[in-house]
Amino acid sequence: MHNLIQKLINRLPLDFRILCRQFMLRVIDLEALSIQADVTGFLGQFAGVLIMLSLVHSLVTYVGFVSMGDPQARLGFCLHMEHHLIATMMLVVGLFTVLSWDATFPDRRDVMVLSPLPVAPHTILSAKVSASAAVLGIAILTLNCASGFVVPFLVGVLHGTPWSFYQSLAAYWIAIVGASAFLYCSVLTIQGFTALLLPRRMFLRLSAILQLAAFGLFLAVYFLEPTLSSPDAMAAPENQGLLACLPSYWFFALFNQLNGTLPAGFTWLAVRAWIGFAIAICGAAASLLLCYVRTMKKTIEEPDLVPGARGLHWMPWFGGSLKTAIALFSIRSLTRSRQHRVAFSFYLAFVFGIALSLLRDELASGAASEITVGFLISTFMMMTFAVFGLRSVFALPVSLTANWVLRTTQLRSSEKYIAATRGSLLLFAAMPAWLLSAGLAFHLRPASQVAAHLAILALLGWILAELCLIGFYKVPFTCSYLPGKSNIQLVFWAFFIVCLPLAVWIAEIELDALHHALKFACMAAVFAATALGLFGFNGFRARSAVLYFEELPEEVITTLKLSA
Amino acid sequence: MLELRNVSKRFSGIAAVDNVSFSARPGEVTGYLGPNGSGKSTTMKMITGLIEMSAGQILFDGKPIQDDLMAYKRSLGYVPEEPYLYTHLSGAEYLTMVAQLRNLPVRQSMERIDGMLRLFSLRDDRHASISGYSKGMRQKILLIAALMHNPQLILLDEPFSGLDVASALVLRSLIQELAARGKVVLFSSHELDTVERICSRVVILHHGKLVADDSIERLRSLMELPTLEKIFSQLAVEQDTESMARQIADLINA
């Protein structure tokens, strides 16, 4: 099999193969990584998270299926899981399109490097599309490696005929691949036509906003869309508008149509999936072809030097020249670097997702209400995502080769640099999360309890910032990144196993404390003491700390034990 | 005075700089020459404190630089070989950041940045992103960043790289002017004509070892050669350049 694939690959043109391999490697920005980074290991960790998700989905589906006795209930549950899997797949594809935002279109570097070479534009185009499709294909396979067989098997069992498993299997994979291709191609179509219609400079500015908007939209739809996968919910007249607008339900209907389980009168929903799929594919193909013909020329003609914005150039002061330098460098890196903006948006999306759901509840209730444990947990989670999110983005470098300037201008102790990093964490993560929480608490009563909670939240922000600074002897955005050190899988599961229960526990204690002055005073004292303790600990360690700019793996000494 | 005493640097056991000793005096421009890979930039990085020495000592004003590295960095201005800058910042933002990192008074740094941007013809583009700057413009930003704090020791690694003729002439005069005002200037370049015009003495490195350290006049008379180019060729160029050029042309035609 391997030899056959290799033979087929070898039949492809050499220039196509070389370009395709290069474009696939650009999924990650290699310049951001430490020189000793293991890129395959890093990608493997992401694949591991997706495989783990697939296993969890399969397990939940199987356990849920077995625990139900009624065949109708079992079918309903399987269909609910099927929709959930389609929606999750669309979210993953959405995140992939955001992370590889301009990867399918020719960028300036490609044009300048490849234009003088005898490489036809259609080879570049096909190599780029193939590279994106290959990575997308891997994402689809890993996320469905277990659930892609378990769910069709269980649906097939309910039908009882020998061919039903194969029918469900085909329906499942067609729906999943169709939903993924629809979303990916839709984004390409929008991007492509925006690039064609707008002047190049305006497009580049708008593209960054579109990228963030797409990111927010994918997450908001995933977390906020209602569950309408049961036949009753689908048939309800008030849900018809929502069904017509939510593509995940179109492909859910497509699955049911191919599987033979589509309720009567919902063919229109499956037809939407087919039409949407066809339009997205044609739109993407047309926009890509036109882009390669027209924008490659535009890119070459684009002037190197884009004039800066005229008018006022605000230079705020953050209480000290070093603090100001690091705060401004942080905010500029965060807002101007695409990779950093997207990485931080990932965490901010959770913050805003929680904020949106709180706002929805607030708008629904109308009148002033009391503080609930749900509100407390939500604000804790917002603070946690904001602070830890910014801390993890701080670890991604913006330009390693330019770091020499920080090293030759280090005229103050490392302690001062670490204090400046603390200032940036509090200013750009803890403070916005706190202000957002304060805004969302506006309709809550009594005001004294709201103020008390905001005080606890401020202390929590400080504690989290101090926790983030333990061992972080770096200037934000300047140290090389060593994939694997952060151990994505461990962090991912630790969050669900440790952070979430901890937030629930603290919120319950706080809710009780808000009603008793003494208990609240004790709780605030514990928080303040923890924050001060961590502050002192970090301060003590910072005195002997040395700033570093290169993340190195821990040395492993292997002994042969010959002397023993 | 900057003084290197038996300085060595080894990378995985291989000597990039081997037992080098020389000094650069105030009021003089010291040329630091050598072919590619001879260890010039490694020496420059050791003098700036960017990399540590494997052996030896570097002294500035008679004191080892490691004794008070921060005080030493205050008196140091450095232009690296490659114009690596934070390209997501504008020229003005980058220079302001450097001034803040150097803890310069706000008003003074603003005046100096503005004045130098004007003199280097960069004022109109000061708010444009550095990513769009040409190599010459980036080089000018590096020069401003290296000089704005009025350093006592100036290290210039290929400072003419990418500069247009007018800017190169200004820089040539500027280097001489700074030396005349008592600064220690260590200047590394492959442009031997320029070195010959502005340097009082030269240090030549080959395979990490010091092969010459003297005034250009004295080297000329000692080696009985008319130009610095001839001296350099004799001391640090191993290949027969004309034969090599012929071989390359033959290879292309083959």
Side-chain angles (χ1 to χ4, degrees):
Chain A
M1 186 66 181
H2 180 259
N3 287 341
L4 181 72
I5 293 169
Q6 197 59 49
K7 273 183 186 170
L8 284 172
I9 290 172
N10 287 343
R11 288 176 75 92
L12 296 166
L14 183 65
D15 52 355
F16 169 81
R17 276 184 279 148
I18 292 168
L19 286 177
C20 195
R21 198 178 305 142
Q22 282 301 317
F23 294 145
M24 274 179 81
L25 282 174
R26 279 210 226 142
V27 175
I28 315 176
D29 187 0
L30 294 173
E31 285 167 21
L33 301 181
S34 163
I35 45 168
Q36 298 189 35
D38 175 13
V39 180
T40 0
F42 185 53
L43 288 173
Q45 283 192 11
F46 274 113
V49 169
L50 294 181
I51 291 169
M52 188 63 87
L53 276 175
S54 183
L55 289 170
V56 169
H57 274 137
S58 308
L59 192 70
V60 169
T61 311
Y62 183 74
V63 170
F65 185 87
V66 172
S67 64
M68 289 173 188
D70 180 30
Q72 269 315 105
R74 282 181 163 182
L75 181 64
F77 178 70
C78 281
L79 293 179
H80 168 70
M81 285 309 291
E82 171 62 27
H83 173 260
H84 177 68
L85 286 165
I86 292 173
T88 308
M89 189 68 246
M90 290 180 90
L91 175 71
V92 171
V93 174
L95 297 183
F96 171 75
T97 56
V98 171
L99 292 172
S100 59
W101 189 244
D102 290 323
T104 321
F105 293 92
D107 63 15
R108 197 170 165 78
R109 181 172 47 171
D110 296 328
V111 173
M112 301 312 278
V113 172
L114 297 174
S115 290
L117 299 175
V119 182
H122 65 81
T123 310
I124 305 172
L125 169 66
S126 47
K128 284 229 169 195
V129 172
S130 306
S132 297
V135 179
L136 195 63
I138 291 167
I140 295 172
L141 279 176
T142 47
L143 189 63
N144 296 283
C145 63
S147 50
F149 295 95
V150 171
V151 174
F153 173 74
L154 296 175
V155 174
V157 165
L158 287 170
H159 278 242
T161 60
W163 290 103
S164 51
F165 165 65
Y166 297 104
Q167 188 184 359
S168 300
L169 189 71
Y172 180 93
W173 284 97
I174 290 171
I176 287 284
V177 173
S180 308
F182 163 76
L183 191 66
Y184 186 66
C185 292
S186 302
V187 175
L188 283 187
T189 308
I190 294 167
Q191 270 183 287
F193 283 108
T194 317
L196 286 167
L197 295 172
L198 295 176
R200 178 97 187 129
R201 201 176 297 165
M202 194 190 285
F203 164 72
L204 290 176
R205 280 184 188 155
L206 189 71
S207 178
I209 299 166
L210 269 179
Q211 187 185 19
L212 287 184
F215 199 88
L217 181 74
F218 297 142
L219 279 159
V221 168
Y222 182 76
F223 286 110
L224 301 178
E225 74 176 349
T227 308
L228 307 171
S229 51
S230 69
D232 290 344
M234 281 180 83
E238 68 270 19
N239 292 337
Q240 298 309 299
L242 272 173
L243 285 173
C245 296
L246 294 168
S248 64
Y249 284 100
W250 306 351
F251 288 91
F252 174 62
L254 178 69
F255 165 78
N256 281 297
Q257 188 184 47
L258 296 170
N259 192 45
T261 45
L262 187 67
F266 282 96
T267 314
W268 65 274
L269 209 54
V271 170
R272 267 187 183 240
W274 288 115
I275 293 171
F277 179 73
I279 291 174
I281 295 280
C282 295
S287 66
L288 275 171
L289 280 172
L290 288 170
C291 268
Y292 272 78
V293 175
R294 290 184 56 187
T295 56
M296 274 182 84
K297 199 178 162 198
K298 269 194 207 175
T299 311
I300 294 171
E301 288 166 359
E302 184 190 342
D304 285 326
L305 193 59
V306 181
R310 303 262 169 220
L312 189 69
H313 290 274
W314 189 49
M315 297 292 264
W317 189 252
F318 296 105
S321 63
L322 185 63
K323 279 184 181 167
T324 305
I326 289 180
L328 288 176
F329 180 69
S330 301
I331 195 70
R332 283 168 183 153
S333 303
L334 206 55
T335 52
R336 294 177 194 175
S337 155
R338 196 181 69 183
Q339 288 98 331
H340 295 87
R341 208 167 45 218
V342 171
F344 193 42
S345 302
F346 177 77
Y347 295 95
L348 282 187
F350 288 103
V351 175
F352 286 114
I354 297 166
L356 277 173
S357 54
L358 280 176
L359 191 67
R360 190 181 60 180
D361 296 347
E362 197 175 303
L363 291 172
S365 70
S369 53
E370 283 193 353
I371 289 180
T372 61
V373 78
F375 176 80
L376 300 180
I377 296 168
S378 301
T379 51
F380 288 161
M381 295 320 294
M382 277 161 61
M383 184 62 83
T384 309
F385 276 116
V387 177
F388 282 147
L390 189 60
R391 156 67 180 79
S392 58
V393 180
F394 273 2
L396 301 173
V398 73
S399 172
L400 289 176
T401 49
N403 287 343
W404 64 270
V405 73
L406 289 162
R407 298 167 70 184
T408 54
T409 55
Q410 197 193 337
L411 309 177
R412 284 165 275 196
S413 64
S414 300
E415 196 182 354
K416 298 244 166 65
Y417 281 79
I418 293 161
T421 305
R422 176 188 289 114
S424 294
L425 261 178
L426 293 172
L427 195 66
F428 303 125
M431 200 171 81
W434 188 87
L435 288 172
L436 192 61
S437 303
L440 290 165
F442 198 67
H443 79 298
L444 297 175
R445 298 287 179 276
S448 59
Q449 286 185 6
V450 173
H453 172 61
L454 290 176
I456 290 288
L457 194 64
L459 287 169
L460 179 74
W462 186 14
I463 291 170
L464 293 173
E466 293 299 337
L467 285 173
C468 287
L469 286 173
I470 295 175
F472 192 79
Y473 306 139
K474 316 174 191 178
V475 175
F477 306 108
T478 59
C479 186
S480 65
Y481 180 64
L482 188 68
K485 199 180 175 188
S486 51
N487 207 335
I488 299 164
Q489 285 204 53
L490 189 74
V491 171
F492 185 79
W493 295 111
F495 171 75
F496 287 103
I497 295 163
V498 180
C499 292
L500 215 53
L502 194 67
V504 174
W505 181 61
I506 295 173
E508 280 169 355
I509 293 173
E510 193 197 340
L511 193 64
D512 183 39
L514 288 175
H515 295 90
H516 303 91
L518 187 64
K519 279 185 185 174
F520 177 77
C522 289
M523 188 176 181
V526 169
F527 268 63
T530 310
L532 278 169
L534 285 167
F535 178 75
F537 174 74
N538 279 334
F540 176 74
R541 289 189 45 169
R543 267 174 238 151
S544 56
V546 177
L547 288 183
Y548 62 100
F549 296 87
E550 180 72 30
E551 195 75 71
L552 296 171
E554 280 176 30
E555 286 189 13
V556 179
I557 300 169
T558 310
T559 56
L560 298 173
K561 294 178 183 168
L562 296 174
S563 57
Chain B
M1 187 169 76
L2 176 76
E3 199 182 346
L4 276 76
R5 287 186 192 162
N6 308 318
V7 170
S8 297
K9 178 68 190 175
R10 285 185 168 72
F11 293 107
S12 309
I14 299 160
V17 176
D18 193 5
N19 206 24
V20 167
S21 300
F22 70 88
S23 56
R25 297 176 188 87
E28 280 184 358
V29 182
T30 307
Y32 196 47
L33 311 178
N36 289 334
S38 59
K40 294 190 308 296
S41 293
T42 306
T43 317
M44 285 286 196
K45 284 177 186 163
M46 284 191 284
I47 298 172
T48 54
L50 281 172
I51 55 175
E52 286 177 16
M53 295 166 279
S54 304
Q57 221 178 13
I58 298 174
L59 299 104
F60 184 63
D61 284 345
K63 283 179 260 177
I65 60 168
Q66 297 298 336
D67 282 5
D68 190 355
L69 199 57
M70 285 181 195
Y72 168 69
K73 282 179 181 175
R74 256 179 226 119
S75 56
L76 172 74
Y78 172 53
V79 175
E81 189 182 12
E82 292 289 335
Y84 291 127
L85 299 159
Y86 291 115
T87 52
H88 62 293
L89 305 180
S90 70
E93 286 167 354
Y94 181 84
L95 293 171
T96 308
M97 186 181 87
V98 174
Q100 285 166 343
L101 290 170
R102 288 200 168 278
N103 205 13
L104 297 181
V106 179
R107 186 184 289 272
Q108 188 192 53
S109 62
M110 287 300 143
E111 280 171 9
R112 284 188 188 175
I113 289 169
D114 198 55
M116 288 171 92
L117 283 169
R118 189 163 32 80
L119 290 167
F120 276 107
S121 314
L122 277 180
R123 202 168 182 280
D124 290 344
D125 299 312
R126 67 193 188 281
H127 295 309
S129 168
I130 293 175
S131 58
Y133 280 17
S134 66
K135 197 176 177 194
M137 291 166 86
R138 291 179 190 210
Q139 199 68 25
K140 289 175 187 177
I141 292 289
L142 286 176
L143 284 164
I144 299 171
L147 299 175
M148 71 162 109
H149 57 291
N150 189 23
Q152 198 52 38
L153 170 62
I154 300 164
L155 303 175
L156 306 168
D157 199 351
E158 296 290 349
F160 291 95
S161 177
L163 290 184
D164 55 59
V165 178
S167 305
L169 289 172
V170 171
L171 179 61
R172 191 191 289 177
S173 305
L174 177 65
I175 292 170
Q176 288 172 316
E177 180 66 31
L178 290 168
R181 293 188 185 197
K183 313 281 184 199
V184 181
V185 184
L186 185 63
F187 166 53
S188 167
S189 178
H190 292 295
E191 293 175 31
L192 298 178
D193 286 349
T194 312
V195 174
E196 199 161 13
R197 277 170 197 269
I198 62 174
C199 293
S200 346
R201 54 188 291 118
V202 288
V203 175
I204 301 177
L205 213 63
H206 187 42
H207 289 319
K209 287 189 166 73
L210 198 77
V211 291
D213 175 13
D214 218 324
S215 71
I216 297 174
E217 281 305 314
R218 218 171 118 72
L219 282 172
R220 273 194 203 128
S221 64
L222 276 173
M223 296 181 74
E224 295 176 353
L225 288 167
T227 59
L228 181 62
E229 191 180 302
K230 298 271 182 199
I231 295 168
F232 185 81
S233 297
Q234 187 150 339
L235 289 171
V237 180
E238 287 167 349
Q239 308 98 330
D240 176 354
T241 48
E242 284 178 10
S243 148
M244 206 170 185
R246 268 197 305 279
Q247 282 178 46
I248 294 168
D250 289 346
L251 201 63
I252 295 166
N253 284 335

